[in-house]
Amino acid sequence: MFGRLGAPEIILILVVIILLFGAKKLPDMARSLGKSARILKSEAKAMKTEGQDNASAPAAPPNTEEQPPAQRTIQAAPGDVTSSRPVTEPTDTTKR
């Protein structure tokens, strides 16, 4: 009963969506959805590479000199510079 969606049903669903949201809003919604998907994909990739770097990197010897952490920039999507922002990394202030 619910498993069979033919061409008439799909066309009817698309017409209802166009009537509800309006033809002018649909491209903006699709663009926003694509941008969100790119952000999610880039963040997931960054988390995966960060996890691999932490697992494969040997423990570094303690550094006697205090160096300020390098400032990183997080971008929402490749090529999207309007929403990028500099981020300061948290520092370990405890002395061992």
Side-chain angles (χ1 to χ4, degrees), residues 29-83:
M29 288 172 51
R31 191 175 302 116
S32 175
L33 183 63
K35 191 174 183 179
S36 298
R38 282 193 305 271
I39 292 170
L40 180 64
K41 184 178 177 181
S42 66
E43 289 296 322
K45 186 176 179 181
M47 287 176 61
K48 185 176 181 181
T49 57
E50 184 177 292
Q52 288 176 351
D53 290 345
N54 288 343
S56 64
N63 193 358
T64 57
E65 298 177 16
E66 286 291 323
Q67 295 179 353
Q71 197 172 39
R72 294 187 329 167
T73 301
I74 296 177
Q75 290 185 338
D80 183 19
V81 295
T82 58
S83 60

Side-chain angles (χ1 to χ4, degrees), residues 77-96:
D80 183 19
V81 295
T82 58
S83 60
S84 60
R85 61 194 185 283
V87 177
T88 56
E89 295 292 326
T91 57
D92 188 14
T93 57
T94 60
K95 298 290 180 181
R96 296 176 200 224

